[in-house]
Amino acid sequence: MTSTSGPVVRTLHHWVGGKPVEGVSDRFSEVTDPATGAVTARLPLASAQETAAAVAAATAAFPAWRDTSLTRRTQVLFRFRELLNDRAPELAALITAEHGKVLTDAAGEVARGQEVVEFACGAPHLLKGSATENASTGVDVHSIRQPLGPVAIITPFNFPAMVPLWFFPLAIAAGNTVIVKPSEKVPSAALWLAELWAEAGLPDGVFNVVNGDHTAVDTLLTHPDVTAVSFVGSTPVARHIHTTATTHGKRVQALGGAKNHMVVLPDADLDHAADQAVNAGFGSAGERCMAVSALIAVGGIADTLVDKIAQRARALRTGDGRRSCDMGPLVTRAAQDRVTGYIDAGEHAGATVVVDGRTATFDADPAPGTDGGFFVGPTLLDHVTTDMTVYTDEIFGPVLSVLRVDTYPEAVELINTNPYGNGTALFTNSGAAARRFQNEVEVGMIGINVPVPVPMAYYSFGGWKNSLFGDTHAHGTEGIHFYTRGKVVTTRWPDPTHTGIDLGFPRNT
């Protein structure tokens, strides 16, 4: 179809059974370039029947892929890795066009996702079992790990490539088949990755993409052939995913929201802390589950630290992510309105607006017939208290709130009483303080002078409390265990010279 302003608006598709499949539900949503406001694509929203067809394709492909040798599976993974390395800039540009994050940030997202692909290339080692010979007289015992079957991966808008890459390389390496349901705001990265898998030689039906909304999600959560669900998103949705899918007998790892704190002690290097607070608070326009949104200044350093952060925030250039800006737009107009509403509420509640992103100027050109992109500039609020919505809620925007406390114990108590437990950071030059902090704080991922402590792929990602529903974190060893089931095999080859009947309970001797 063609819009009245001239540019061609693409109609996207699903990817099922190794090929693109047109949508037939007659329901569509719009994909928008958040830097210009232009509608760039129509996205078909799958019906329950279309979603079930993707599950059927994954189910049909599972037996052959499960029985494919680890050597062959790993060869496909290595080819996928090389193709992704060669074409990473193409994927980054696609992310910027739909999400809005600046190109360097998008490239970093792809690189972090690639780390999981590289980890998954070690599947022959990761999937090894163990063996004990002669555990009992003439009895050997060994363990093996086997794939689950078709698994669903439901991913958010903020990392269109990295978050799916947290999950599907390990699921595929382990011998599972996959149905990805990406965010309808940023669908093209998942479809691009599907084409890359096909080019790498992945058999048809092993990797499928269903675009849609709650209809597709609920079908995946309740379908009897889906064995497990991986999810990243908001806490209310994570809770729904976990409750619904587990009720239907599925494994679930559902990573929810966050309110990440950065504690700065008086002995910290304040220039370094200010740099990192800006990086972690305003990178990707704050649309990260690991973004720092609450900075706790301990002791008498707050005035100096706030001034240093404000100087840096005012110098940031916000605009179109393709123009070498520091920060891009928010993903939708609704997100823009939501964030500015929180800034309004914080100001009305008594917070001091030190840097106001509502009044910033932006380097971007609006598309004809639109109100332009969805921008909010870096915003710094001081004298925030724990009863303000800018503190209690996950804003998911470029808003950094400063809370002031007198002592280290007050800072830890503030973090531990928060309902979220995703990530936190401590800035200090004291090893003793750092060691105490990592022991006492009730959070899943901790940085010491590292503001965004996202683990390497061979460690696992995930938080505590209302930031995680289910027992298993993403990637690393926990990811391998999530996508496999253990079996223990006990074997005896009887000596034909020893026979007889013994109805007693078997003993190990």
Side-chain angles (χ1 to χ4, degrees), residues 29-94:
S29 65
E30 293 181 338
V31 180
T32 307
D33 182 338
T36 68
V39 175
T40 57
R42 290 197 322 157
L43 182 73
L45 303 176
S47 65
Q49 292 75 20
E50 290 173 287
T51 307
V55 176
T59 303
F62 172 64
W65 184 243
R66 174 197 60 203
D67 295 336
T68 298
S69 71
L70 270 173
T71 298
R72 168 66 179 151
R73 284 190 233 154
T74 306
Q75 288 169 347
V76 175
L77 279 161
F78 269 105
R79 281 199 290 274
F80 180 83
R81 173 190 179 275
E82 293 307 307
L83 289 169
L84 185 54
N85 275 341
D86 291 343
R87 296 172 58 186
E90 182 183 331
L91 180 55
L94 198 62

Side-chain angles (χ1 to χ4, degrees), residues 260-293:
N260 303 316
H261 300 76
M262 172 175 161
V263 178
V264 183
L265 296 184
D267 70 325
D269 180 329
L270 296 189
D271 285 308
H272 177 64
D275 287 342
Q276 299 308 312
V278 169
N279 293 340
F282 305 132
S284 196
E287 292 177 321
R288 294 173 176 163
C289 66
M290 290 294 285
V292 167
S293 56

Side-chain angles (χ1 to χ4, degrees), residues 58 61-68 70 73 77 123 127 146-151 168-178 206 483-484:
F62 172 64
W65 184 243
R66 174 197 60 203
D67 295 336
T68 298
L70 270 173
R73 284 190 233 154
L77 279 161
L127 294 170
Q146 295 184 323
L148 307 175
V151 300
F168 67 68
L170 296 180
I172 289 171
N176 301 283
T177 54
V178 169
V206 175
Y483 290 121
T484 58

Side-chain angles (χ1 to χ4, degrees), residues 266 270 297-305 404-406:
L270 296 189
V298 180
I301 62 170
D303 288 342
T304 301
L305 183 58
R404 299 176 178 227
V405 299
D406 294 326

Side-chain angles (χ1 to χ4, degrees), residues 357-370:
R358 298 168 297 184
T359 60
T361 57
F362 311 109
D363 184 2
D365 296 324
T370 74

Side-chain angles (χ1 to χ4, degrees), residues 229-376:
V229 179
S230 299
F231 171 81
V232 176
S234 69
T235 286
V237 179
R239 185 179 283 113
H240 167 73
I241 296 278
H242 182 258
T243 300
T244 305
T246 54
T247 298
H248 286 81
K250 307 182 191 314
R251 286 190 179 184
V252 181
Q253 49 180 181
L255 283 65
K259 196 69 180 182
N260 303 316
H261 300 76
M262 172 175 161
V263 178
V264 183
L265 296 184
D267 70 325
D269 180 329
L270 296 189
D271 285 308
H272 177 64
D275 287 342
Q276 299 308 312
V278 169
N279 293 340
F282 305 132
S284 196
E287 292 177 321
R288 294 173 176 163
C289 66
M290 290 294 285
V292 167
S293 56
L295 187 147
I296 306 174
V298 180
I301 62 170
D303 288 342
T304 301
L305 183 58
V306 166
D307 182 62
K308 289 178 181 294
I309 295 172
Q311 292 176 34
R312 290 159 171 78
R314 293 188 184 106
L316 295 178
R317 181 166 157 243
T318 302
D320 192 321
R322 294 157 290 214
R323 295 187 178 183
S324 300
C325 293
D326 299 300
M327 194 180 85
L330 295 167
V331 69
T332 61
R333 182 75 68 196
Q336 179 192 38
D337 292 342
R338 181 174 183 270
V339 171
T340 55
Y342 272 111
I343 300 169
D344 293 343
E347 183 177 30
H348 293 154
T352 303
V353 183
V354 180
V355 180
D356 193 343
R358 298 168 297 184
T359 60
T361 57
F362 311 109
D363 184 2
D365 296 324
T370 74
D371 294 329
F374 316 135
F375 293 100
V376 177

